Every structure is written in structure tokens, then in C-alpha cells.
Amino acid sequence: MEKEKPLILLSNDDGVKAKGLNELIKALHGIGKIVVMAPDGPRSGASGSITSEYPVRYNKVREDEDLVVYKCTGTPVDCVKLALHEVVSRRPDLVIGGINHGDNSSVNVHYSGTMGVVIEGCLKGIPSIGYSLCNHSADADFSPLFPYVRRMAEEVLAHGLPQGVCLNVNFPDTPAYKGVRICRQTRGAWINEWERNRHPRGGEYFWLTGVFDNHEPEAEDSDHWALNHGYVAVTPTQIDVTAYGMMDELKGWNWNV
Amino acid sequence: MEKEKPLILLSNDDGVKAKGLNELIKALHGIGKIVVMAPDGPRSGASGSITSEYPVRYNKVREDEDLVVYKCTGTPVDCVKLALHEVVSRRPDLVIGGINHGDNSSVNVHYSGTMGVVIEGCLKGIPSIGYSLCNHSADADFSPLFPYVRRMAEEVLAHGLPQGVCLNVNFPDTPAYKGVRICRQTRGAWINEWERNRHPRGGEYFWLTGVFDNHEPEAEDSDHWALNHGYVAVTPTQIDVTAYGMMDELKGWNWNV
């Protein structure tokens, strides 16, 4: 009996029509059956958000050999939850978020809808990878990523990942890569985050923008350093966010009321 | 010269009119100057989401002695970012999210807009606490929390918190508490997450719902165990989500393309 092909669930936060998602489908061609459930429009910055106030709908938009694509009215995390509950015939072997148009290294992991997809896959016990390219443009060139995207998916399918660990993979916006580096999340923060404008009928409104302030630009083990120096950054990421190192100190505080 | 009062920034994900937020203001009365920037309506499940596709606006809705309240069209995280950039006269001494109507222990930290507020405060280097009550009802009784909410805020103002660590505090829905326990995040997942309905004009739609499946119900150091046994659960939470324990193994994988 032929071995069953791996089942791979894809989603993203740039929406079902985004180039990054459609390039991801091409990059993975032939390595398994692919199911896509992606938002029906842009959800950039959706993080791990879920839709609790409204109902969610989905419908099929494309079907080819070993490929079926659905679009969904919900968030990236809703897409993963709904695909797992409603459309897949069995538990996927791999969940992939991306390919995101834009950098999800460092603290961006907390805002990223792409990493929302990946963390949700991981919470469901499925090996999960997020791919992001440090280029926001709608027509960015994703072709240099293809062999890496495929190789990493094959490695994760072969080795699996420990429960509670997923991968956040970011690609620098350079024509050639110096290699792959295993990294930790860079310490830093966004600053100067709002651009103020005056509405023609009065009052002010604000666009979220900003500059990333790297608190440790010389840290060679950090993901931002890797990207700035032409390396593909692989940051293993965990869903247990307990600050274990703080537990003993807190036990000594005065909690009496 | 009199010592300056602490400046405390509050936000939530249930919206500016939610009882939990207004009870939080009462619980903190007198310990400092309070600035509130809260969403103009419910944003439950907003996680760390930010508004990138639309402009954001805010306006003042209330001003009393040592209290000013703004409402904002954005997400909980937008509220923190906008308050820090536009309305506070100096860096706050404390950021508080809540009091949330509903449990944010265990994996809920990844979906919670309340914890989005807290993680954002922490990313900005400010000691931050999230308070949540395990009761979803709009008119839940928050009064048993008051002495704990106040004590914990005073402790954090007195001790500070290490960079990159915030507190996720959950209160059981019981009339009296057995005490406070310092906990770790419970391993578990939501299951049976969608309720399907048929639209009167055709097609299906889905409501996000579900049941929490605790993977370690006997783990006495976990936050879910504490809540189920009548304790207030304090879970120290970190913004560095690197899976450090996985880095060496990944360095041995085949990344060649």
C-alpha cells in the first residue's frame, strides 16, 4: 500500500489573494495534500485574535489535484480552528502560516497574525511553521525562499517538533542568503508609533506606524541580527509563556489582604 | 516636596462601559492618578492585535479628581500604544488590564485582549498586571476581588517587575478565596470549538464556542488547578517566547538547500 501523503494546512494574515500565500502553495507543490483556509481579506496584525462577537462563514474558492482552497470571514486563528473542525478529513501533519509580507522576528511575534496561525497549530498539537519575508510590498519576490521553505517543511515532517514548540522563520530581503541561523527572539520595542492627521471635518485620527528600536543590535544569537546580516532566521517559539524564573521571588511577596 | 502619586494606565477588552473596568477604577481609588484608554465597545478575544488597515481615533469621556477616561476605536493594544504616545504626561508606573469578564488562565493568555494590554505594557518596559474573573456575566460581582486587586497593585508598585515579565492574575468564581498561589500556565487546549447554524437564506455560519480540555488536571502548580480549588492564581508571564531548549537540537538539522 502506498504511504499516505502528508496533509498540510496553510493559512496567513494577508488574505487568500496575497502573493505570499500563493507562492507558498507553489513552493510546497508535490510534497503533500494541501488544504488552505485563509481570511477573505487582509488581517495584518491580527495576532492570536478570535471572533467572538460575530458568526464566521467560509466557502471553497479553488480545487486542484492535492489542493483545496477556502476563504473565511474570520481571523487567521479562526481559519485554523475552522479548518481543523470542519474541512480536513484527518489531523494535518503540518500547519504553515505565511508566507507573510513583512518581518515577524523579535517582538513582532506578539502582533503577527501569521504567528497567530502557527501558535494555534501548535496549541492543537500539530507541528507548525511560520514563514515571513522582510518585505512588505504586495509583489515582493518570494522565489529565493522556495528551496528553504520546502526543505524546512520536509525537515519538520521528518523530525516532528516537541509538544508546545513551533518555528518562526524569517527571510531577509536580500537576493542571496548566507545560510540559516537558529536564533532567539531579539529584545526591542516599537517606538514613535503614531502618525497624527487632521480630519477635513474636524478632529484628529491616527495611523499606526513606528520604528523598531533594537535593544541589543550586537547580539549575534538574535533573530534581528541574523536578518540584518543576510541570514535566514529560525526562531524556535514556545506556547508556554510562564516566567518560571520569577515564581520563587513572587512566593516571597506579601499577598495578604 | 510631596512625593508624586503613581500614574496607572488602565485598559481592557470588554470596552469602556464594562463593569469590570469600572469596578477596577473603584478598587484602585486613592493609590494613584488613573488614566483609562479603553476600546469603545467589546473586543473580547482581541489578543495582541493591532489596527493596521484603518485609522484610529479617541476622545475623552470622563474626568474626575485623579481620573481621566478615554475611549478609543482601536484594539486593546492600540489603546495602550495610543495612551502612551498621546495622553499621558509621563511614563506610567503601572499598566493594568481588566478586570476581565472571563478566565484568562492557561492557553487563554494567547487569545486574551486583556493580556494583550498587559503584554504591550510589558513590551514598553512598564510593570503590568492583568486581572480576570472566571465569570463571563456582564453584572458579575467583582467586590470580593477588591482587596486583592489593590494589594497586588501596591506590591508591584513597591517591588517593580523584572524587564520582560508581567503578571496574569485570575480569580475563581467563588464567594471566598483560600489564598493566593503562584502558578505556571496549565497545558491544555480548546476542543469542540464551533457551533454550526443554517442561515434562513441559505448556507451555514459558525459561532466560536468550545470546551477547555485540561491536559493535566492533577497538576497542583498549574493555574487552572488553583482556580478549580478556590485559589487566586498569579501566573508570571514573559514576553520572550523563544524555545531555548530546542535551539541545540535544531542546529543539528539539515538546513542545506
Side-chain angles (χ1 to χ4, degrees):
Chain A
M1 204 177 90
E2 200 186 1
K3 195 175 166 232
E4 201 172 13
K5 290 179 183 173
L7 179 63
I8 307 175
L9 173 63
L10 312 186
S11 192
N12 74 347
D13 71 354
D14 293 313
V16 71
K17 291 184 181 170
K19 182 175 177 182
L21 174 62
N22 289 284
E23 293 287 280
L24 174 60
I25 293 170
K26 287 185 205 165
L28 298 173
H29 182 78
I31 74 169
K33 287 177 187 282
I34 293 175
V35 174
V36 180
M37 175 77 82
D40 57 10
R43 303 284 192 283
S44 211
S47 183
S49 61
I50 52 176
T51 303
S52 53
E53 299 284 321
Y54 304 95
V56 174
R57 306 183 73 151
Y58 75 96
N59 59 283
K60 194 185 291 184
V61 293
R62 179 177 164 198
E63 189 158 16
D64 283 323
E65 196 190 340
D66 288 342
L67 173 68
V68 53
V69 180
Y70 301 89
K71 69 176 182 183
C72 170
T73 60
T75 69
V77 170
D78 291 339
C79 288
V80 176
K81 289 180 182 290
L82 198 54
L84 293 178
H85 195 266
E86 289 293 320
V87 310
V88 295
S89 53
R90 62 181 179 87
R91 181 185 188 75
D93 301 292
L94 184 60
V95 170
I96 302 182
I99 302 171
N100 190 59
H101 294 244
D103 180 2
N104 280 324
S105 71
S106 184
V107 299
N108 294 346
V109 66
H110 290 290
Y111 308 118
S112 164
T114 302
M115 287 308 296
V117 165
V118 176
I119 289 166
E120 183 62 25
C122 189
L123 284 166
K124 290 292 189 279
I126 304 169
S128 300
I129 314 173
Y131 293 122
S132 304
L133 172 62
C134 296
N135 182 332
H136 273 98
S137 68
D139 66 347
D141 179 13
F142 290 89
S143 60
L145 288 67
F146 276 36
Y148 292 89
V149 162
R150 197 179 175 90
R151 184 87 278 272
M152 290 173 180
E154 287 169 340
E155 279 293 280
V156 171
L157 284 169
H159 296 285
L161 285 169
Q163 279 289 323
V165 175
C166 52
L167 300 184
N168 180 12
V169 181
N170 288 273
F171 294 86
D173 186 27
T174 44
Y177 307 130
K178 288 189 192 156
V180 173
R181 283 178 79 95
I182 310 303
C183 304
R184 63 172 177 81
Q185 178 186 323
T186 308
R187 286 189 283 273
W190 286 88
I191 56 173
N192 303 329
E193 291 189 283
W194 295 98
E195 187 176 303
R196 187 197 315 226
N197 280 286
R198 181 154 287 279
H199 194 280
R201 288 188 296 281
E204 290 172 335
Y205 63 90
F206 298 83
W207 287 105
L208 188 57
T209 166
V211 177
F212 179 68
D213 181 32
N214 189 338
H215 295 173
E216 45 175 6
E218 307 304 325
E220 297 191 8
D221 58 345
S222 70
D223 48 12
H224 211 263
W225 188 96
L227 293 166
N228 281 342
H229 289 79
Y231 294 93
V232 180
V234 175
T235 310
T237 298
Q238 62 187 32
I239 58 179
D240 182 351
V241 293
T242 309
Y244 287 97
M246 187 62 187
M247 290 177 74
D248 280 343
E249 184 183 332
L250 286 175
K251 285 174 186 171
W253 286 19
N254 178 10
W255 303 102
N256 297 325
V257 297
Chain B
M1 206 176 87
E2 198 186 0
K3 195 174 167 234
E4 201 173 12
K5 289 179 184 173
L7 179 62
I8 306 175
L9 173 61
L10 313 186
S11 192
N12 75 345
D13 71 355
D14 294 314
V16 71
K17 292 182 179 171
K19 182 175 179 183
L21 173 62
N22 289 285
E23 293 287 279
L24 174 60
I25 294 169
K26 287 184 205 165
L28 297 172
H29 182 78
I31 74 168
K33 288 179 187 281
I34 293 175
V35 174
V36 180
M37 175 78 80
D40 56 11
R43 304 283 191 284
S44 211
S47 183
S49 61
I50 52 176
T51 302
S52 53
E53 300 283 321
Y54 304 96
V56 174
R57 305 184 74 152
Y58 74 96
N59 59 283
K60 194 184 290 183
V61 294
R62 180 176 163 199
E63 190 158 15
D64 282 326
E65 196 191 339
D66 288 342
L67 173 68
V68 54
V69 180
Y70 302 89
K71 69 176 181 183
C72 170
T73 59
T75 67
V77 171
D78 292 339
C79 288
V80 176
K81 289 180 182 291
L82 197 54
L84 294 178
H85 195 267
E86 289 293 321
V87 311
V88 295
S89 56
R90 61 181 179 87
R91 181 186 189 76
D93 301 292
L94 184 59
V95 170
I96 303 182
I99 302 171
N100 190 59
H101 296 244
D103 179 2
N104 281 323
S105 70
S106 185
V107 299
N108 294 346
V109 67
H110 290 290
Y111 308 117
S112 164
T114 302
M115 287 308 295
V117 165
V118 175
I119 289 166
E120 184 61 25
C122 189
L123 285 166
K124 291 291 189 278
I126 304 168
S128 300
I129 314 173
Y131 294 121
S132 304
L133 173 61
C134 296
N135 182 331
H136 273 98
S137 67
D139 66 346
D141 179 13
F142 291 88
S143 61
L145 286 68
F146 275 38
Y148 292 89
V149 163
R150 197 179 174 91
R151 185 85 278 273
M152 290 174 179
E154 287 170 339
E155 280 294 280
V156 171
L157 284 169
H159 296 284
L161 285 170
Q163 279 289 324
V165 175
C166 52
L167 300 185
N168 180 11
V169 181
N170 288 274
F171 295 86
D173 187 27
T174 46
Y177 307 129
K178 289 190 192 156
V180 173
R181 283 177 79 95
I182 311 302
C183 304
R184 64 172 177 83
Q185 178 185 323
T186 308
R187 287 190 283 271
W190 286 88
I191 55 173
N192 302 328
E193 291 189 286
W194 295 98
E195 187 175 303
R196 187 197 313 228
N197 279 287
R198 181 155 287 279
H199 194 281
R201 289 187 295 280
E204 291 172 333
Y205 62 91
F206 298 83
W207 288 105
L208 188 57
T209 167
V211 177
F212 179 68
D213 181 31
N214 188 339
H215 294 173
E216 45 174 5
E218 306 304 326
E220 296 191 9
D221 59 345
S222 70
D223 48 11
H224 211 263
W225 188 95
L227 293 166
N228 280 342
H229 290 80
Y231 293 93
V232 180
V234 176
T235 310
T237 298
Q238 62 187 33
I239 58 178
D240 182 352
V241 293
T242 308
Y244 287 97
M246 186 62 187
M247 290 178 74
D248 280 343
E249 184 183 333
L250 285 175
K251 285 174 185 169
W253 286 19
N254 177 11
W255 304 102
N256 297 324
V257 297

